[in-house]
Amino acid sequence: MHFHQSPTTYVGEVMIKVEDLQRSIEFYTNVIGFKVLEHTESKAVFSADGLTPLLTIEQPKGIQPKQQRTTGLYHFALLLPSRADLGSIIHHFIDKGVRLQGASDHLVSEALYLADPDGNGIEIYRDRPAGEWNWNGPEVEMASIALDVEELLKEGQATPWSGLPEATVMGHIHLHVSGLKDTEKFYTEGLGFEVVTRYGGQALFISTERYHHHIGLNTWNGVGAPAPAGNTVGLEWFSLMFSSEEKKLATVDRLTSLGSKVEWVDGYYYTYDPSGNKIKLV
């Protein structure tokens, strides 16, 4: 999991808004397998290791259902330490009667897809060893082919499910955006990411230190899709983890020079991509 530690810039935590806090707590603990780090009247913070926050959910006053055909969260992705762990969670989902939205072999990884009770998208995956990824110059080969569920189930038999493994991290985030040209400039020139895969003119995947992707960006909700209203279910922010304070401040300077909005709120810098997706710089 060296792609999620210094010197890499990576996604550390995601914060989303939900309609029913208690319903979501039950889902994220009993179905996904998180531990609760903090629980207040309107917010809960989740961890895999009992120390590191990976997901925060909040029920704001007057919250409205998720808006369709907008920018924002496509899914956040939890990276498990091993293939056996992925097989184990499939057994768990079968036992719980959990309905998946999809399952794919992406060549670089194997992944399951589902949604929380509010429709927030979730991916749970394991990486193949980086030495098995096929690079064509600066681009890594990715695809979406059938997942070998039978082999995963066999591999998971020896690992009884007891919640998310402690070494689980926030592997990546995938966002709906309104257009790719300005978005690519913001994330590459502003935040320092590199494009590693393009899907035609509809999606691109970016990373640092040659990971297959720390962030996915797509226009599948339509070019020019509007940002959702602020009081609706969905993404509040996601954090980017920098290797040093100096690197973070240099990023703030670059963003400011590009004309991007940067705010200082409660001890943190926040910025917004061209589609209004909010990013916490840590």
Side-chain angles (χ1 to χ4, degrees), residues 263-270 278:
E263 299 176 328
W264 175 259
V265 181
D266 295 332
Y268 291 98
Y269 284 106
Y270 293 87
K278 186 176 181 180

Side-chain angles (χ1 to χ4, degrees), residues 142-156:
M142 293 172 62
S144 293
I145 59 179
L147 186 66
D148 191 341
V149 176
E150 289 187 9
E151 283 301 314
L152 279 165
L153 286 170
K154 290 178 184 177
E155 193 150 347

Side-chain angles (χ1 to χ4, degrees), residues 137-192:
E139 296 203 5
V140 66
E141 183 181 358
M142 293 172 62
S144 293
I145 59 179
L147 186 66
D148 191 341
V149 176
E150 289 187 9
E151 283 301 314
L152 279 165
L153 286 170
K154 290 178 184 177
E155 193 150 347
Q157 285 177 341
T159 308
W161 175 255
S162 60
L164 288 173
E166 289 188 356
T168 300
V169 298
M170 187 63 69
H172 65 265
I173 193 168
H174 195 151
L175 304 169
H176 291 296
V177 297
S178 58
L180 291 183
K181 184 178 179 180
D182 290 345
T183 299
E184 180 176 341
K185 181 177 180 179
F186 171 85
Y187 282 98
T188 57
E189 295 183 22
L191 290 173

